[in-house]
Amino acid sequence: MTLADQWRAARPPAAGIHVDSAACSRQSFAVIDASAAHARHEAEIGGYQAAQAAGPALDAGRAAVRALTGMTDADVYFTTGSNHALDILLDDWRGARRLACLPGEFGPNLAIMARRGFEVQTLPVDGVGRLDADEAGRELSADPPPLVHFTILGSHTGTVQPAREVAAVCRDLGVPVVIDAAQGFGHLDCAGIGADAFYSSSRKWVAGPRGVGVLATRPGLLSEPTVLWLGHAETNVGLHVGLSLSLGEYVAAGPAEMQARLREVGAATRTALAGVAGWAVVEPVDEPSAITTLRPPPGVDPATVRARLIAEHSIVTTYLGLERAPREMTEPALRVSPHVDVTDAELAAVAGALRAVTP
Ligand SMILES: *Cc1c(COP(=O)(O)O)cnc(C)c1O
């Protein structure tokens, strides 16, 4: 069986065509069952006893995070998602409240930065919003910010950002780097970035349950009171078990194989959809991600098109409004983000449906 066949056989059949993994992937039977089994165990032996019994499964999840990030001695915490992790980090931050990030920073991240009182400066980018690593090196050296927040892959385009390069510059300057890998984890190679903190969501490319995520930090980065609070806060242990299992499945499938297949899927999607009914693909065909962004033809509203694709063709895509990346986006778009199991026939069906619903 191919990786794609295995992935498909491991989960319930989709009602239609699901090309929306950047929003929320489809969980496997085993992951769904693991979360449910934990809830049953809580009812049988008690919630705190069940949590203790799940210790090894959760430790395996934490170990997978360390392996996939290359942060071998990191403290790994389960969170309720990426935004929760960022809020924990910024709330706890003891330095000056100023940070540098990309102009394409995720809108909800900017809102958390503002709420936590951070002044935001932007890193230099090229015409497609990709970091200009050389210029960034010069600017960061000339005026090092107290913190760099770097989103390795945005929510609004499939442009892969050079995280290793920026982290290396920051390491030389002694500037801590936080990596938002909500779209990168389980998708891109995240090992060896060399971050001080790294966080992601569960439901996106690793296909775990909704409402959970992970935060990995260099030992000593978080203050003691925050670490104590994280250890005591009420959490949904069953979903952490599900997430740990999804990480186990990802590791078992082979991270390099998964990442290679996702690159292939990205290229196939862009090839299938480029120019269909006047929609323009934003990324170069071989951009190494599985996120394809479609810019609408003049006068076409991507929100309406997304709704009609669901209602009339059972095809799930994402509408990208300007709030996704308010400092960079100038017009709304449509995102198509299949997982490893997408077929050429499905991509052809998406192209056909897009043609049918574009006025
Ligand atoms: C989805 C997303 C987030 C937020 O993740 P949650 O788990 O919903 O909090 C943050 N950053 C990026 C780039 C995202 O795509």
Side-chain angles (χ1 to χ4, degrees), residues 76-170:
V76 180
Y77 305 97
F78 291 102
T79 63
T80 62
S82 293
N83 277 171
H84 181 210
L86 177 59
D87 198 49
I88 291 167
L89 290 164
L90 297 189
D91 179 36
D92 186 68
W93 181 250
R94 287 157 285 170
R97 300 217 154 214
R98 177 164 68 93
L99 61 77
C101 64
L102 289 162
E105 185 59 80
F106 187 53
N109 287 355
L110 291 170
I112 292 169
M113 292 165 186
R115 195 155 52 81
R116 290 298 178 189
F118 276 74
E119 185 192 323
V120 169
Q121 69 191 66
T122 47
L123 295 164
V125 292
D126 66 11
V128 296
R130 198 188 315 268
L131 181 81
D132 178 338
D134 293 338
E135 182 56 24
R138 281 189 289 274
E139 290 185 12
L140 289 169
S141 309
D143 178 22
L147 181 66
V148 168
H149 180 271
F150 199 74
T151 299
I152 180 170
L153 180 59
S155 168
H156 66 303
T157 76
T159 303
V160 177
Q161 299 288 351
R164 276 177 197 75
E165 285 80 344
V166 86
V169 170
C170 290

